[in-house]
Amino acid sequence: MVKFSKQFEGQLVPEWKEAFVDYRQLKKEIKKIHLLNHQNTKKRKSSFVNSIVSSLRKYTCLDHKHREPRVIQVHRKLTASASSTDLYETELLEQFADTDAALNKVNQFYRTKEKEFLERGESLKKQMEILTELKTALKQRHAKGPPSQDSKEEDSISGTISCDDESIKDVMDAEQGLENLTEEFDKDDIKFSETPKSGELERSIRMKKEDGKFRSFSGRVINCQGKNLRIHIPLTNPTRTVSAITYLLWDDLVNQSSKKCGPEGNKLHVNKKKLHHAEKMIKGAFIELYKGLGYLKTYRNLNMLAFVKILKKFDKVTNKQVLPIYLRVVESSYFNSSDKALKLADEVEELFVKHFAEDDKRKAMKYLKPTLRKESHAVTFFIGLFTGCFIALFVGYVIMAHITGMYRSNSDTMYMETVYPVLSMFSLLFLHFFLYGCNIFMWRKTRINYSFIFELSPTKELKYRDVFLICTTSMTAVVGVLFVHLSLVEKGYSYAQVQVIPGLLLLLFIVVLLCPFNIIYKSSRYRLLSVLRNIILSPLYKVVMLDFFMADQLCSQVPMLRELEYIACYYITGSYKTQDYNYCMRNRILQETCYAVSFLPYYWRAMQCARRWFDEGHKSHLINLGKYVSAMLAAGAKVAYEKEKNVGWLCLVVIMSTVATVYQLYWDFVKDWGLLQFNSKNPWLRDELMLRQKFIYFFSMGLNLVLRLAWLQTVFHYNFGKVDYRVTMLFLAALEVVRRGQWNFYRLENEHLNNAGKFRAVKIVPLPFHEVDEQD
């Protein structure tokens, strides 16, 4: 039977952990009393009984109506503040003078979160009313008859636009990520999904253009049913931004009197497409609100159960009848007696069923309470099966390569230049993917809410077993195909006959990645493609956590990207038919493209930093941008040194790489991991740690330092005996992937602790309609 303490820690909301009852600490106090019960000194026994009751009063709320003069006396009083929060004092034979804030921790947190969700609920109800009115008006207009053939505008309702010289940057204040809330609603409407900016429901940063010509598309104000409304449609992708600017320019051309702001001077059309997107935003907000109310219910139930359990243990150890008195008080306390959140949850459920599920409650529950995908034992079985197959094939491949001398310094140049890059590329790729699976396992074990941080769909995200299955299956296929290829070469087949095999292997993986059918983790594959698109067009897209996290992974996969570029060139240009493997390196354009690949990941990451600075205005993003610029300069120096190997370029490589390494190490330890805090209660680390063994953090910092110095190979040119230099380069590239794997864990640990410090467990979805005053 699982102990309650493990159940308690396993079910609590990770971001709210500090607001829960410290059940583990209270159990320690109970154990101290239990040990002292074997002693005969009554004075010590009485002293520790007082101590545990004093500890208990910090986590229970006691009422003045229930008193037992000989054991416990309870007083309640109101605070002088306007919050009308009840504070409680407990007496045990003598009165305690101090009013401990920890006594009301659970109540105060519950009251704060309940107020937040109630306000959000009221705002959503108003949003729903406005949306219903606009949809009704649109239907009434449609019922009057179809639009004229001369009009290119679809059915819409119009309202007077008030003057509002906001820039388009105003609308881009909300983060791109509502996509992850609504991508499963309508597969045909995925292109409209976006991400909110957490905690900024009503605030928008207004940046005015100097010329005052451009106005925010979402900032336009319409008058509907007597209300002045601003429609807030986030412009977080290039298509919507260009469409908004085009609309504004066309609107200014047609309406020359827009500057006069007259009642007929400007019209805003609210068509079906805009209402549909507004509906999806409200729908996502309802889902997040319902999720938050569910967390609040869990918080309520778990704390209540913890109080009951700890009081029973206390009575059992001390033979005191404390439970009846405390339990009555706890049951009547605010966090357990208030039903406002429960009623709001019922209202949200009813509204969702009515407006978004066509009165089908079962359909509504698929969105409000999505059923998590069950982990199958078949996945574990196939992981073991393919792992065994991979090991057997890999051992066979290594033995055959050793016998034929393929990986020696004087090996077959054709094989090492054309086939080995395929093995190298897939090895680095799936090693990285395997480490990501290990990251998921550790994040789950340490209760790091990576799904919330990455904004992944709980019903579609990859579990660590899924990742391991993909890795073992893929590498079994890769090694198996290359084993067959090497066997054919040894049997006397010419390269002209078998050289197409590695190309077909790469083509097979590309086809699987782009496969439109709902097989082989389609949602995850397409999400990966969308993230890669966002990275490539990073200056044009709003940057979210998953985007820059993935871009950081690409910075560690530069060797893999260079191998991919070379293989693509080799097969696309048809060089495999003539075995001219030097063609791609002789062609100047293709050669420059190869060098450009070394810069691209750092360039994309730098552009993301620039976009985040533009959106958020924090100077730290500019400092982070400098880190990637230094990495680009170091990479450029290495490329130049590869072309002209002289002392001058070597000195420049050493200088630039040293500066970039120091820059990167500082950012790794201080910013990304949040370590090296000198005034922390954990010296040289940070106050909160997810791992209990502190030496692991110091070991990881040391390992990160050593692996960051892999660029020294450029200076010393060390090699492993008679092994081909390409094998040494693969080993060093693999070390960088390993470094990135450990970096991933601490990066998300720090992000999780930041969320927990702000008690941020649900996303705040930006709402489309905002009422404005007439004077605005």
Side-chain angles (χ1 to χ4, degrees):
M1 185 176 179
V2 182
K3 293 183 178 180
F4 173 73
S5 58
K6 291 186 177 180
Q7 290 181 341
F8 181 76
E9 292 181 358
Q11 295 178 18
L12 56 79
V13 183
E15 289 79 8
W16 294 354
K17 183 177 180 180
E18 294 300 319
F20 277 83
V21 173
D22 195 348
Y23 184 79
R24 187 181 293 274
Q25 182 61 34
L26 289 178
K27 274 188 64 178
K28 290 181 180 179
E29 297 293 336
I30 296 291
K31 287 181 180 179
K32 289 181 182 178
I33 295 178
H34 180 66
L35 293 175
L36 288 173
N37 279 344
H38 296 288
Q39 301 179 7
N40 297 324
T41 307
K42 295 183 179 180
K43 183 177 181 180
R44 288 189 177 181
K45 178 179 177 181
S46 175
S47 174
F48 274 91
V49 169
N50 292 343
S51 174
I52 186 58
V53 173
S54 175
S55 179
L56 281 171
R57 73 186 186 83
K58 296 180 179 181
Y59 299 96
T60 60
C61 300
L62 307 176
D63 198 298
H64 73 287
K65 296 181 180 179
H66 308 286
R67 300 187 181 185
E68 187 173 339
R70 286 186 170 271
V71 183
I72 300 173
Q73 293 184 1
V74 183
H75 300 276
R76 183 182 67 182
K77 65 179 183 178
L78 295 177
T79 59
S81 63
S83 62
S84 358
T85 302
D86 294 339
L87 294 178
Y88 298 87
E89 292 181 347
T90 305
E91 286 187 1
L92 180 63
L93 300 178
E94 61 181 3
Q95 183 176 357
F96 291 89
D98 60 319
T99 304
D100 196 349
L103 181 69
N104 296 288
K105 179 176 69 172
V106 173
N107 269 348
Q108 291 174 357
F109 181 81
Y110 186 90
R111 191 189 297 270
T112 301
K113 283 297 174 183
E114 182 187 65
K115 181 181 178 182
E116 175 186 334
F117 290 139
L118 289 176
E119 291 176 353
R120 199 181 306 175
E122 290 299 320
S123 179
L124 273 175
K125 290 176 187 177
K126 294 179 181 179
Q127 295 282 317
M128 198 69 244
E129 291 175 1
I130 295 170
L131 179 64
T132 303
E133 290 179 4
L134 291 175
K135 290 174 70 175
T136 302
L138 193 61
K139 289 180 180 179
Q140 290 175 353
R141 180 179 178 84
H142 182 72
K144 293 179 180 180
S148 62
Q149 296 181 355
D150 297 334
S151 177
K152 294 183 180 181
E153 291 287 339
E154 62 174 305
D155 290 348
S156 60
I157 54 177
S158 301
T160 303
I161 303 174
S162 66
C163 289
D164 192 7
D165 292 335
E166 296 181 30
S167 73
I168 288 178
K169 182 178 177 180
D170 176 42
V171 245
M172 303 172 78
D173 188 53
E175 291 181 72
Q176 177 191 358
L178 190 56
E179 172 181 353
N180 311 313
L181 295 173
T182 58
E183 64 178 351
E184 53 194 291
F185 297 162
D186 264 317
K187 294 183 179 178
D188 296 334
D189 296 323
I190 294 180
K191 60 182 179 180
F192 295 117
S193 42
E194 307 296 334
T195 301
K197 180 170 184 177
S198 174
E200 309 218 358
L201 186 63
E202 300 292 339
R203 186 173 65 88
S204 62
I205 303 175
R206 301 187 177 185
M207 304 291 292
K208 296 186 177 182
K209 295 286 185 181
E210 294 181 1
D211 56 4
K213 292 182 180 180
F214 290 104
R215 294 181 301 276
S216 169
F217 185 59
S218 68
R220 295 300 189 90
V221 179
I222 66 170
N223 184 278
C224 178
Q225 305 294 333
K227 299 177 181 178
N228 288 328
L229 303 174
R230 176 178 289 115
I231 303 179
H232 189 93
I233 305 294
L235 307 181
T236 52
N237 59 60
T239 303
R240 191 171 298 147
T241 303
V242 172
S243 299
I245 295 175
T246 304
Y247 182 91
L248 291 174
L249 293 175
W250 176 256
D251 185 65
D252 286 338
L253 290 174
V254 174
N255 302 289
Q256 296 295 331
S257 59
S258 58
K259 295 182 179 180
K260 298 178 181 179
C261 296
E264 300 295 332
N266 218 339
K267 295 290 182 182
L268 173 65
H269 298 280
V270 183
N271 52 33
K272 289 182 180 179
K273 187 175 181 180
K274 296 170 188 173
L275 285 183
H276 176 70
H277 183 67
E279 182 178 6
K280 293 191 70 174
M281 294 175 69
I282 296 174
K283 187 177 185 179
F286 268 114
I287 292 175
E288 285 299 301
L289 175 59
Y290 192 83
K291 184 191 297 184
L293 292 170
Y295 287 159
L296 198 59
K297 183 178 180 181
T298 301
Y299 177 83
R300 169 183 181 161
N301 294 338
L302 283 180
N303 279 312
M304 186 65 200
L305 191 56
F307 280 127
V308 173
K309 291 285 186 180
I310 203 67
L311 289 173
K312 285 183 178 179
K313 289 181 179 292
F314 179 74
D315 281 2
K316 183 178 179 180
V317 170
T318 62
N319 294 321
K320 299 284 185 181
Q321 296 300 318
V322 176
L323 176 62
I325 301 174
Y326 273 77
L327 191 57
R328 285 192 224 105
V329 176
V330 172
E331 287 176 344
S332 63
S333 63
Y334 186 83
F335 86 93
N336 189 65
S337 60
S338 176
D339 60 349
K340 295 178 182 178
L342 299 178
K343 290 181 179 179
L344 178 59
D346 293 336
E347 292 179 23
V348 169
E349 188 175 311
E350 291 177 3
L351 288 171
F352 197 92
V353 170
K354 178 181 179 181
H355 296 284
F356 302 109
E358 300 175 351
D359 292 325
D360 187 348
K361 188 173 182 179
R362 181 176 296 181
K363 180 180 178 181
M365 288 298 104
K366 290 182 181 179
Y367 303 126
L368 296 177
K369 292 182 179 180
T371 304
L372 299 180
R373 180 164 49 90
K374 295 182 180 179
E375 297 183 358
S376 173
H377 293 292
V379 175
T380 306
F381 169 77
F382 282 111
I383 290 174
L385 175 64
F386 286 116
T387 300
C389 294
F390 166 71
I391 293 174
L393 288 171
F394 183 72
V395 170
Y397 178 81
V398 171
I399 293 174
M400 184 174 291
H402 177 71
I403 293 174
T404 57
M406 283 294 180
Y407 291 106
R408 295 176 184 173
S409 56
N410 56 350
S411 60
D412 186 350
T413 305
M414 175 65 70
Y415 186 88
M416 295 302 296
E417 290 288 352
T418 60
V419 181
Y420 178 74
V422 177
L423 175 62
S424 174
M425 179 191 67
F426 281 118
S427 298
L428 292 174
L429 176 63
F430 289 110
L431 172 63
H432 206 143
F433 207 47
F434 172 78
L435 291 174
Y436 175 68
C438 296
N439 288 147
I440 294 177
F441 177 80
M442 288 302 300
W443 289 332
R444 291 186 62 180
K445 188 174 182 180
T446 54
R447 299 278 292 162
I448 293 175
N449 196 354
Y450 69 95
S451 298
F452 173 70
I453 295 173
F454 287 146
E455 300 175 8
L456 302 175
S457 171
T459 59
K460 298 179 180 179
E461 64 171 308
L462 289 177
K463 310 296 183 182
Y464 69 91
R465 287 188 177 90
D466 298 317
V467 176
F468 291 155
L469 178 61
I470 294 172
C471 291
T472 54
T473 305
S474 301
M475 285 307 298
T476 299
V478 170
V479 176
V481 169
L482 294 183
F483 179 80
V484 172
H485 178 272
L486 185 58
S487 301
L488 293 175
V489 171
E490 288 304 306
K491 287 182 179 181
Y493 287 87
S494 65
Y495 280 103
Q497 294 174 302
V498 299
Q499 203 67 342
V500 71
I501 295 178
L504 291 176
L505 177 65
L506 177 60
L507 181 63
L508 174 63
F509 276 92
I510 294 175
V511 169
V512 171
L513 179 63
L514 301 177
C515 179
F517 303 108
N518 191 18
I519 56 174
I520 315 178
Y521 307 104
K522 178 186 175 182
S523 60
S524 298
R525 289 189 285 109
Y526 275 56
R527 183 67 191 280
L528 173 63
L529 292 174
S530 67
V531 171
L532 292 176
R533 176 205 62 194
N534 295 352
I535 292 173
I536 295 173
L537 302 176
S538 53
L540 304 177
Y541 278 90
K542 188 78 176 182
V543 182
V544 295
M545 177 69 185
L546 186 58
D547 291 343
F548 66 77
F549 180 84
M550 189 63 182
D552 278 326
Q553 311 308 304
L554 293 179
C555 290
S556 295
Q557 286 287 9
V558 171
M560 187 270 291
L561 294 176
R562 294 187 66 170
E563 300 283 17
L564 177 61
E565 188 273 340
Y566 173 79
I567 295 169
C569 173
Y570 179 72
Y571 282 99
I572 291 175
T573 59
S575 299
Y576 71 96
K577 296 178 181 179
T578 60
Q579 289 82 55
D580 186 8
Y581 55 83
N582 282 324
Y583 173 77
C584 294
M585 299 305 297
R586 290 198 308 268
N587 188 297
R588 182 175 180 81
I589 297 177
L590 296 176
Q591 185 180 13
E592 296 299 329
T593 302
C594 179
Y595 290 134
V597 169
S598 303
F599 296 90
L600 279 178
Y602 303 110
Y603 167 78
W604 290 331
R605 195 64 186 88
M607 290 299 99
Q608 287 181 334
C609 293
R611 174 61 189 263
R612 293 188 71 189
W613 169 77
F614 178 80
D615 290 336
E616 302 172 16
H618 299 316
K619 293 182 179 179
S620 60
H621 297 310
L622 291 179
I623 302 175
N624 196 18
L625 184 148
K627 180 184 72 172
Y628 294 102
V629 171
S630 68
M632 291 173 64
L633 294 176
K638 292 177 185 177
V639 169
Y641 177 68
E642 289 178 5
K643 291 182 178 181
E644 300 180 15
K645 294 188 176 182
N646 54 51
V647 179
W649 283 115
L650 179 60
C651 293
L652 187 61
V653 167
V654 173
I655 294 173
M656 297 305 303
S657 297
T658 301
V659 172
T661 300
V662 173
Y663 207 152
Q664 291 164 353
L665 286 173
Y666 167 78
W667 204 268
D668 286 345
F669 297 151
V670 179
K671 298 296 183 179
D672 290 336
W673 294 4
L675 302 177
L676 296 183
Q677 297 182 9
F678 306 129
N679 298 325
S680 169
K681 64 181 181 182
N682 300 307
W684 296 91
L685 299 177
R686 62 171 109 85
D687 291 338
E688 298 295 331
L689 301 174
M690 301 298 292
L691 301 178
R692 296 181 182 178
Q693 292 79 11
K694 297 179 182 179
F695 77 91
I696 296 179
Y697 292 92
F698 293 105
F699 174 78
S700 297
M701 286 193 289
L703 183 61
N704 188 74
L705 169 63
V706 172
L707 296 182
R708 279 286 190 186
L709 298 176
W711 59 268
L712 289 175
Q713 193 274 343
T714 307
V715 179
F716 297 109
H717 300 286
Y718 46 80
N719 203 357
F720 298 134
K722 296 181 180 180
V723 178
D724 192 281
Y725 75 94
R726 299 176 186 85
V727 179
T728 303
M729 299 304 295
L730 174 61
F731 176 76
L732 295 175
L735 289 181
E736 170 59 22
V737 173
V738 171
R739 187 201 67 80
R740 181 62 64 180
Q742 77 153 5
W743 179 91
N744 291 342
F745 175 80
Y746 296 111
R747 178 65 183 88
L748 251 69
E749 178 192 19
N750 191 37
E751 186 71 20
H752 172 79
L753 292 174
N754 289 336
N755 288 337
K758 300 175 183 178
F759 301 106
R760 185 169 54 211
V762 293
K763 292 184 285 291
I764 306 297
V765 181
L767 302 178
F769 306 115
H770 299 275
E771 294 187 24
V772 294
D773 298 330
E774 293 183 1
Q775 60 267 26
D776 293 339

